[in-house]
Amino acid sequence: MTAVGDKKQTLAAAPQRDASKPITMVAAINEALDMALTRDPDVYIFGEDVGVMGGVFRATDGLQARHGVERVFDTPLAEAGIMGLGIGMGLAGLKPVAEMQFAGFLYPALDQIMSHLGRYRHRTRSRFTLPVVVRAPYGGGVHTPEQHADSPEAVIAHVPGVKVVIPSNPQDAKGLLLAAIADPDPVFFFESIKMYRSLKAEVDPGYYTVPIGQARIHRAGDDLTIICYGGMVEVCDRAAEAAAGAGISAEIIDLRTISPLDTATVLESVRKTGRAVIVTEAPRTAGFHSEVAAVIAEEAIDSLLAPVVRVTGFDAPYPPFTAIEDSYRPTPTRVAKAIRRVMEY
């Protein structure tokens, strides 16, 4: 490992691919990790099966062979240990990128996350920061076993001092991940399992960052605002396309970051359209969708022409394996029903 204060050595850059060739989100994540390892020898990647196997989704494929077993290494099946190691490395001045193999596995690490990860800047009056990134595949859509499709992002968003980023597409995934690794404070980086390979897009082959805490207008519209992130952006896009056929112009906001939340972009859109539909795949009660709804109620209630409507998962464990999942996870049909509700109010 590079000792704190040692002179940094930059490795030779990996060959750049053809920028015009679309790539998947998991490939964009792999490219960002490779680039971060190459640019900064203080970056380390570790987690369950990330080394030899290259990760269960191959997000770290080839990185151990290229950068060595000391910088990309496997850990035991011990989420609390993975999180504690990341915190210790961050305090030592390194830049750890830990992987929780699935977001539904992070619960044993909650003590480390809630008691330590987000507190060190405050605890030490900014003498120490924790430049720790935690990657976690989340969400459904691919019929996984129990606890492999959970969406616990609201739990992490509730931890002061921890940023929460959730990309929806390859270009944002690469830029946001590079921004997270460069950030001096801890960042949880949730990756939609459904979107790993279901979407391809052109991605800048060079180094770039996307600002954390800044939402984007995915689709412009005038009649209502749909607020979503991660794997739900694609779902909402299909619902908005169907609504357009009925003459309804829906604006889609991709939050990209839920903590900190870009309230300015959300409120500007809702004040313009007067209607809001919020879509997530997490359980309904106390989900992050409710926080967004509360912000709209507090700051833009005079602009509303209809109640704020949430489209979410259900207050039940995510169904494993079976097609029942298709009734749990929000669909374009359920989003379309919410669109009709706010438009007909």
Side-chain angles (χ1 to χ4, degrees):
M1 291 185 180
T2 303
V4 178
D6 281 0
K7 185 178 180 180
K8 294 182 179 181
Q9 300 293 326
T10 302
L11 301 178
Q16 286 199 347
R17 57 176 171 76
D18 182 354
S20 65
K21 183 180 179 181
I23 62 172
T24 62
M25 193 167 86
V26 74
I29 289 168
N30 179 275
E31 188 169 278
L33 294 171
D34 187 25
M35 194 167 287
L37 287 162
T38 300
R39 289 170 60 91
D40 190 345
D42 283 344
V43 173
Y44 289 80
I45 295 173
F46 54 91
E48 298 164 10
D49 298 319
V50 303
V52 175
M53 183 177 175
V56 291
F57 297 104
R58 302 300 183 265
T60 54
D61 189 33
L63 297 184
Q64 187 179 84
R66 174 164 164 72
H67 298 279
V69 70
E70 289 189 353
R71 298 192 59 208
V72 182
F73 56 92
D74 295 315
T75 66
L77 307 184
E79 285 74 19
I82 293 169
M83 196 67 260
L85 175 62
I87 291 169
M89 292 174 71
L91 286 172
L94 303 176
K95 297 178 181 177
V97 181
E99 179 184 296
M100 297 289 166
Q101 194 169 70
F102 290 88
F105 295 174
L106 67 79
Y107 308 125
L110 284 177
D111 180 37
Q112 293 283 357
I113 295 165
M114 294 182 167
S115 299
H116 302 292
L117 182 64
R119 294 178 183 264
Y120 265 97
R121 180 184 282 278
H122 177 80
R123 183 178 289 165
T124 65
R125 303 300 184 266
S126 293
R127 290 194 300 272
F128 287 92
T129 61
L130 279 180
V132 179
V133 176
V134 184
R135 294 180 44 252
Y138 87 99
V142 293
H143 295 186
T144 54
E146 185 180 6
Q147 279 190 266
H148 290 64
D150 288 14
S151 297
E153 63 271 17
V155 177
I156 306 303
H158 198 66
V159 181
V162 177
K163 298 172 183 177
V164 181
V165 175
I166 312 177
S168 67
N169 61 79
Q171 176 78 4
D172 280 350
K174 179 180 174 180
L176 285 166
L177 183 52
L178 287 170
I181 295 170
D183 199 290
D185 292 304
V187 179
F188 249 85
F189 195 86
F190 287 97
E191 302 162 5
S192 169
I193 297 172
K194 177 68 165 59
M195 300 311 297
Y196 268 148
R197 290 181 171 83
S198 62
L199 171 68
K200 285 187 175 183
E202 292 184 8
V203 175
D204 186 337
Y207 181 92
Y208 66 92
T209 60
V210 172
I212 292 175
Q214 184 174 308
R216 71 180 181 96
I217 304 298
H218 173 73
R219 181 189 182 110
D222 298 310
D223 294 328
L224 78 148
T225 301
I226 304 174
I227 303 156
C228 52
Y229 51 82
M232 289 294 99
V233 174
E234 176 252 352
V235 172
C236 293
D237 207 22
R238 290 160 59 194
E241 194 64 33
I248 298 170
S249 174
E251 181 152 288
I252 299 177
I253 296 179
D254 178 1
L255 291 179
R256 301 197 293 194
T257 304
I258 65 171
S259 182
L261 174 65
D262 183 359
T263 57
T265 298
V266 171
L267 293 173
E268 182 180 359
S269 178
V270 172
R271 286 174 180 142
K272 177 182 73 172
T273 67
R275 303 174 180 88
V277 173
I278 309 165
V279 185
T280 79
E281 56 188 297
R284 187 173 183 81
T285 300
F288 195 77
H289 40 263
S290 299
E291 175 65 19
V292 177
V295 168
I296 294 170
E298 287 180 350
E299 303 292 338
I301 194 167
D302 290 340
S303 300
L304 291 177
L305 302 173
V308 177
V309 175
R310 297 169 292 166
V311 182
T312 71
F314 296 91
D315 292 333
Y318 201 101
F321 291 121
T322 67
I324 297 174
E325 174 183 19
D326 299 332
S327 298
Y328 183 100
R329 190 173 186 263
T331 62
T333 300
R334 287 178 58 196
V335 177
K337 182 178 179 181
I339 291 173
R340 288 194 300 272
R341 179 180 169 188
V342 299
M343 293 303 299
E344 294 171 1
Y345 181 77

